[in-house]
Coordinates of all heavy atoms in Angstrom, one line a residue:
Chain K
K9 N 1.8 -7.8 -15.1 CA 2.6 -8.2 -13.9 C 4.1 -7.6 -14.2 O 4.7 -7.2 -13.3 CB 2.7 -9.7 -13.7 CG 1.5 -10.2 -13.1 CD 1.7 -11.7 -12.6 CE 0.5 -12.3 -11.8 NZ 0.2 -11.5 -10.7
E32 N -10.5 8.6 -5.4 CA -9.2 9.2 -5.4 C -8.1 8.3 -5.8 O -8.1 7.2 -5.2 CB -8.8 9.8 -4.0 CG -9.7 10.9 -3.6 CD -9.6 11.3 -2.2 OE1 -8.8 10.7 -1.5 OE2 -10.5 12.1 -1.7
L33 N -7.3 8.5 -6.9 CA -6.4 7.5 -7.3 C -4.9 8.0 -7.0 O -4.6 9.1 -7.1 CB -6.6 7.5 -8.9 CG -7.7 6.5 -9.4 CD1 -7.4 5.1 -9.0 CD2 -9.0 6.9 -9.0
F34 N -4.1 7.0 -6.9 CA -2.8 7.2 -6.5 C -1.9 6.2 -7.2 O -2.3 5.1 -7.6 CB -2.5 7.0 -4.9 CG -3.3 7.7 -4.0 CD1 -4.7 7.3 -3.8 CD2 -2.8 8.9 -3.3 CE1 -5.4 8.1 -2.8 CE2 -3.6 9.5 -2.4 CZ -4.9 9.0 -2.2
Y36 N 1.7 4.4 -6.3 CA 2.8 4.1 -5.3 C 3.9 3.3 -6.1 O 3.6 2.6 -6.9 CB 2.3 3.3 -4.0 CG 1.5 4.2 -3.1 CD1 0.2 4.5 -3.2 CD2 2.2 4.6 -2.0 CE1 -0.5 5.3 -2.3 CE2 1.5 5.5 -1.0 CZ 0.2 5.8 -1.2 OH -0.5 6.5 -0.4
Q38 N 7.6 1.0 -5.3 CA 8.5 0.4 -4.4 C 9.8 0.0 -5.1 O 9.9 -1.0 -5.9 CB 7.8 -0.9 -3.7 CG 8.6 -1.5 -2.7 CD 7.9 -2.5 -1.9 OE1 6.9 -3.1 -2.4 NE2 8.3 -2.7 -0.6
R43 N 10.9 0.8 1.0 CA 9.5 0.7 1.4 C 8.6 1.4 0.3 O 9.0 2.1 -0.5 CB 9.2 1.4 2.7 CG 9.6 2.9 2.7 CD 9.5 3.3 4.2 NE 10.6 2.8 5.1 CZ 10.6 2.9 6.3 NH1 9.6 3.4 7.0 NH2 11.5 2.3 7.0
L44 N 7.3 1.0 0.4 CA 6.4 1.5 -0.5 C 6.1 3.0 -0.3 O 6.2 3.5 0.8 CB 5.0 0.9 -0.2 CG 4.0 0.8 -1.3 CD1 4.4 0.1 -2.6 CD2 2.8 -0.1 -0.7
Q45 N 6.2 3.8 -1.4 CA 6.0 5.2 -1.2 C 5.2 5.8 -2.3 O 5.1 5.3 -3.3 CB 7.4 5.8 -1.1 CG 8.2 5.7 -2.4 CD 9.7 6.2 -2.4 OE1 9.9 7.4 -2.3 NE2 10.6 5.3 -2.3
L46 N 4.6 7.0 -2.0 CA 3.8 7.7 -2.8 C 4.6 8.2 -4.1 O 5.6 8.8 -3.9 CB 3.0 8.8 -2.2 CG 2.1 9.6 -3.1 CD1 0.9 8.8 -3.5 CD2 1.5 10.8 -2.4
L48 N 2.6 9.7 -7.2 CA 1.8 10.8 -7.4 C 0.3 10.4 -7.2 O -0.1 9.3 -6.9 CB 2.0 11.3 -8.9 CG 1.9 10.2 -10.0 CD1 0.5 10.0 -10.4 CD2 2.6 10.9 -11.3
R49 N -0.4 11.5 -7.1 CA -2.0 11.4 -6.9 C -2.7 12.2 -7.9 O -2.3 13.2 -8.4 CB -2.3 11.9 -5.5 CG -2.0 13.3 -5.3 CD -2.0 13.7 -3.8 NE -0.7 13.7 -3.2 CZ -0.4 14.0 -2.0 NH1 -1.4 14.0 -1.1 NH2 0.8 13.9 -1.5
H50 N -3.9 11.7 -8.3 CA -4.6 12.3 -9.5 C -4.9 13.7 -9.2 O -4.9 14.6 -10.1 CB -5.7 11.5 -9.9 CG -7.0 11.9 -9.3 ND1 -7.5 11.3 -8.1 CD2 -8.0 12.8 -9.6 CE1 -8.7 11.8 -7.7 NE2 -8.9 12.7 -8.7
I51 N -5.2 14.1 -8.0 CA -5.8 15.4 -7.7 C -4.7 16.5 -7.9 O -5.1 17.6 -8.2 CB -6.4 15.5 -6.3 CG1 -7.4 16.6 -6.2 CG2 -5.3 15.5 -5.2 CD1 -8.3 16.6 -4.9
S52 N -3.5 16.1 -7.7 CA -2.4 17.2 -7.7 C -2.1 17.5 -9.1 O -1.5 18.5 -9.4 CB -1.2 16.6 -7.0 OG -1.5 16.2 -5.7
Y86 N 2.4 0.3 -7.9 CA 1.0 -0.1 -7.5 C 0.2 1.1 -7.8 O 0.4 2.2 -7.4 CB 1.1 -0.5 -6.0 CG 1.8 -1.7 -5.7 CD1 3.2 -1.6 -5.2 CD2 1.2 -2.9 -5.7 CE1 3.8 -2.8 -4.9 CE2 1.9 -4.1 -5.4 CZ 3.3 -3.9 -5.0 OH 3.9 -5.1 -4.7
R90 N -8.7 5.2 -3.3 CA -9.3 5.4 -1.9 C -10.8 5.8 -2.2 O -11.1 6.6 -2.9 CB -8.7 6.5 -1.2 CG -9.4 6.8 0.1 CD -8.5 7.6 1.2 NE -8.1 8.8 0.6 CZ -7.2 9.6 1.0 NH1 -6.5 9.2 2.1 NH2 -6.9 10.7 0.5
F93 N -15.0 6.1 2.0 CA -15.0 5.6 3.4 C -13.6 5.5 3.9 O -13.3 4.7 4.8 CB -15.8 4.3 3.5 CG -17.2 4.4 3.1 CD1 -17.6 4.0 1.9 CD2 -18.2 4.8 4.0 CE1 -18.9 4.0 1.4 CE2 -19.5 5.0 3.5 CZ -19.9 4.6 2.3
N94 N -12.7 6.1 3.1 CA -11.2 6.2 3.5 C -10.6 4.7 3.4 O -9.7 4.5 4.1 CB -11.0 6.8 4.9 CG -9.6 7.2 5.0 OD1 -8.9 7.7 4.2 ND2 -9.1 6.8 6.3
K95 N -11.2 3.8 2.6 CA -10.6 2.6 2.5 C -9.8 2.6 1.2 O -10.1 3.0 0.2 CB -11.7 1.5 2.4 CG -12.5 1.4 3.7 CD -13.5 0.3 3.6 CE -14.4 0.2 4.9 NZ -15.4 -0.8 4.9
F96 N -8.7 1.9 1.3 CA -7.7 1.9 0.1 C -7.8 0.5 -0.5 O -7.8 -0.5 0.2 CB -6.3 2.1 0.7 CG -5.9 3.6 0.8 CD1 -6.2 4.3 2.0 CD2 -5.3 4.3 -0.1 CE1 -5.9 5.6 2.1 CE2 -4.9 5.6 0.0 CZ -5.3 6.2 1.0
Y97 N -7.7 0.5 -1.8 CA -7.6 -0.7 -2.6 C -6.5 -0.6 -3.5 O -6.4 0.4 -4.2 CB -8.9 -0.9 -3.3 CG -10.2 -1.1 -2.5 CD1 -10.9 0.2 -2.1 CD2 -10.6 -2.2 -2.1 CE1 -12.1 0.0 -1.4 CE2 -11.8 -2.3 -1.2 CZ -12.5 -1.1 -0.9 OH -13.5 -1.2 -0.1
F98 N -5.5 -1.6 -3.5 CA -4.4 -1.6 -4.2 C -4.5 -2.7 -5.4 O -5.1 -3.7 -5.2 CB -3.2 -2.0 -3.4 CG -2.5 -0.8 -2.5 CD1 -3.1 -0.5 -1.4 CD2 -1.5 -0.2 -3.0 CE1 -2.6 0.5 -0.6 CE2 -1.0 0.8 -2.3 CZ -1.6 1.2 -1.1
G99 N -3.9 -2.3 -6.5 CA -3.8 -3.3 -7.5 C -2.6 -4.2 -7.2 O -2.0 -4.1 -6.2
S100 N -2.4 -5.3 -8.0 CA -1.6 -6.3 -7.6 C -0.1 -5.9 -8.1 O 0.8 -6.7 -7.8 CB -1.9 -7.7 -8.3 OG -2.2 -7.5 -9.6
G101 N -0.1 -4.8 -8.8 CA 1.3 -4.3 -9.1 C 1.9 -4.6 -10.5 O 1.5 -5.6 -10.9
Chain V
A2 N 13.8 7.2 10.5 CA 12.6 6.4 10.1 C 11.4 6.9 10.6 O 11.3 7.3 11.8 CB 12.9 4.9 10.4
M3 N 10.3 7.1 9.9 CA 9.1 7.7 10.3 C 8.0 6.6 10.6 O 7.3 6.8 11.6 CB 8.6 8.6 9.1 CG 9.5 9.7 8.9 SD 8.9 10.7 7.5 CE 9.1 9.6 6.1
V4 N 8.0 5.4 9.9 CA 7.2 4.4 10.3 C 8.1 3.1 10.5 O 8.8 2.7 9.6 CB 6.1 4.1 9.2 CG1 5.1 3.0 9.7 CG2 5.3 5.4 9.0
V31 N -4.2 8.5 11.6 CA -4.6 7.2 11.1 C -3.4 6.3 10.9 O -2.4 6.5 10.5 CB -5.3 7.4 9.7 CG1 -6.1 6.1 9.2 CG2 -6.2 8.6 9.7
Y33 N -2.9 2.2 9.5 CA -3.4 1.0 8.8 C -2.6 -0.3 8.9 O -1.3 -0.2 9.0 CB -3.4 1.4 7.3 CG -4.1 2.6 6.9 CD1 -3.4 3.8 6.9 CD2 -5.4 2.7 6.4 CE1 -3.9 5.0 6.6 CE2 -6.0 3.9 5.9 CZ -5.2 5.1 6.1 OH -5.8 6.3 5.7
Y35 N -2.0 -3.7 6.6 CA -2.3 -4.5 5.3 C -1.6 -5.7 5.4 O -0.5 -6.0 6.0 CB -1.7 -3.6 4.1 CG -2.3 -2.4 3.8 CD1 -1.9 -1.2 4.3 CD2 -3.2 -2.4 2.7 CE1 -2.4 0.0 4.0 CE2 -3.9 -1.2 2.4 CZ -3.5 -0.1 2.9 OH -4.0 1.2 2.6
Q37 N 0.0 -8.5 2.7 CA 0.4 -8.7 1.3 C 1.0 -10.1 1.1 O 2.1 -10.3 1.6 CB 1.4 -7.6 0.8 CG 1.6 -7.8 -0.6 CD 2.6 -6.6 -1.1 OE1 3.3 -6.1 -0.4 NE2 2.4 -6.3 -2.5
S40 N 3.0 -11.8 -4.8 CA 2.5 -11.4 -6.1 C 1.0 -10.9 -6.0 O 0.4 -10.9 -7.0 CB 2.6 -12.5 -7.1 OG 3.9 -13.0 -7.3
Q41 N 0.6 -10.5 -4.8 CA -0.8 -10.0 -4.8 C -0.7 -8.5 -4.2 O 0.2 -8.0 -3.9 CB -1.6 -10.9 -3.8 CG -1.8 -12.2 -4.2 CD -2.7 -13.1 -3.3 OE1 -3.5 -12.5 -2.5 NE2 -2.6 -14.5 -3.4
A42 N -1.8 -8.0 -4.3 CA -2.1 -6.6 -3.9 C -2.0 -6.5 -2.4 O -2.5 -7.5 -1.7 CB -3.3 -6.0 -4.4
P43 N -1.4 -5.5 -1.8 CA -1.7 -5.3 -0.4 C -3.2 -5.1 0.0 O -3.9 -4.5 -0.8 CB -1.0 -3.9 -0.1 CG -0.1 -3.8 -1.3 CD -0.6 -4.4 -2.4
L45 N -6.1 -4.4 2.7 CA -6.3 -3.7 4.0 C -7.1 -4.6 4.9 O -8.1 -5.2 4.7 CB -7.2 -2.4 3.7 CG -7.4 -1.5 4.9 CD1 -6.2 -1.0 5.5 CD2 -8.4 -0.5 4.5
H48 N -8.1 -0.3 10.1 CA -7.3 0.9 10.4 C -8.0 1.6 11.6 O -9.1 1.4 11.9 CB -7.4 1.9 9.1 CG -8.7 2.6 8.8 ND1 -9.7 2.1 8.1 CD2 -9.0 3.8 9.2 CE1 -10.7 2.9 8.0 NE2 -10.3 4.0 8.6
N56 N -12.8 -2.1 11.1 CA -12.4 -3.4 10.6 C -13.0 -3.6 9.2 O -14.2 -3.2 8.9 CB -13.0 -4.5 11.6 CG -12.4 -5.7 11.5 OD1 -11.2 -5.9 11.1 ND2 -13.1 -6.8 11.8
E57 N -12.2 -4.2 8.4 CA -12.8 -4.6 7.0 C -13.6 -5.8 7.3 O -13.4 -6.7 8.1 CB -11.7 -5.0 6.1 CG -10.8 -3.8 5.7 CD -11.5 -2.7 5.0 OE1 -12.1 -3.0 4.0 OE2 -11.6 -1.5 5.7
L90 N 2.2 -5.0 6.3 CA 2.6 -3.6 6.1 C 1.8 -2.6 7.0 O 0.6 -2.8 7.1 CB 2.4 -3.2 4.7 CG 3.1 -3.9 3.7 CD1 2.7 -3.5 2.3 CD2 4.6 -3.7 3.7
G96 N -4.7 12.2 8.0 CA -6.1 12.1 8.3 C -6.9 11.4 7.2 O -6.3 10.7 6.3
T97 N -8.1 11.6 7.2 CA -9.0 10.9 6.2 C -9.3 11.7 4.9 O -10.1 11.3 4.1 CB -10.4 10.4 6.8 OG1 -11.0 11.6 7.3 CG2 -10.1 9.4 7.9
G98 N -8.8 12.8 4.8 CA -8.8 13.7 3.6 C -7.9 13.1 2.6 O -7.6 12.0 2.6
Y99 N -7.5 14.0 1.7 CA -6.7 13.5 0.5 C -5.3 13.6 1.0 O -4.4 14.3 0.6 CB -6.9 14.4 -0.6 CG -6.4 13.8 -2.0 CD1 -6.9 12.6 -2.4 CD2 -5.4 14.3 -2.6 CE1 -6.5 12.1 -3.6 CE2 -5.0 13.8 -3.7 CZ -5.5 12.7 -4.2 OH -5.0 12.1 -5.4
Y100 N -4.8 12.6 1.9 CA -3.5 12.5 2.5 C -2.8 11.2 1.9 O -3.5 10.2 1.8 CB -3.5 12.6 4.0 CG -4.1 13.8 4.6 CD1 -5.3 13.9 5.1 CD2 -3.4 15.0 4.5 CE1 -5.9 15.0 5.6 CE2 -3.9 16.1 5.0 CZ -5.2 16.2 5.6 OH -5.6 17.4 6.2
E101 N -1.5 11.3 1.7 CA -0.8 10.1 1.3 C -0.6 9.2 2.4 O -0.6 9.7 3.6 CB 0.5 10.5 0.7 CG 1.6 11.0 1.6 CD 2.9 11.2 0.9 OE1 3.7 10.2 0.8 OE2 3.1 12.3 0.5
Q102 N -0.3 8.0 2.3 CA 0.0 7.1 3.3 C 1.6 6.9 3.3 O 2.2 6.8 2.2 CB -0.6 5.7 3.0 CG -2.0 5.7 3.1 CD -2.6 4.3 3.0 OE1 -2.5 3.4 3.8 NE2 -3.1 4.1 1.7
F104 N 4.4 4.3 4.5 CA 4.5 2.9 4.8 C 5.8 2.5 5.7 O 6.8 3.2 5.4 CB 4.5 2.0 3.6 CG 3.1 1.9 2.9 CD1 2.6 2.9 2.1 CD2 2.4 0.7 3.2 CE1 1.3 2.8 1.6 CE2 1.2 0.6 2.6 CZ 0.6 1.6 1.8
G105 N 5.6 1.6 6.5 CA 6.8 1.0 7.1 C 7.4 -0.1 6.1 O 6.8 -0.5 5.1
P106 N 8.6 -0.6 6.6 CA 9.2 -1.6 5.7 C 8.6 -2.9 5.7 O 8.9 -3.7 4.8 CB 10.7 -1.7 6.4 CG 10.3 -1.4 7.8 CD 9.2 -0.4 7.8

Side-chain angles (χ1 to χ4, degrees):
Chain K
K9 282 191 178 297
E32 296 170 0
L33 277 299
F34 304 78
Y36 279 81
Q38 188 168 28
R43 60 190 68 196
L44 205 56
Q45 57 187 290
L46 179 69
L48 53 79
R49 62 194 97 184
H50 90 267
I51 200 168
S52 301
Y86 293 93
R90 177 164 57 198
F93 302 96
N94 199 40
K95 295 183 180 180
F96 278 85
Y97 300 88
F98 280 80
S100 53
Chain V
M3 296 179 288
V4 183
V31 192
Y33 307 82
Y35 290 87
Q37 185 178 24
S40 301
Q41 295 185 23
L45 183 64
H48 75 276
N56 197 27
E57 293 301 298
L90 300 171
T97 55
Y99 197 63
Y100 296 108
E101 76 175 273
Q102 293 183 78
F104 281 84

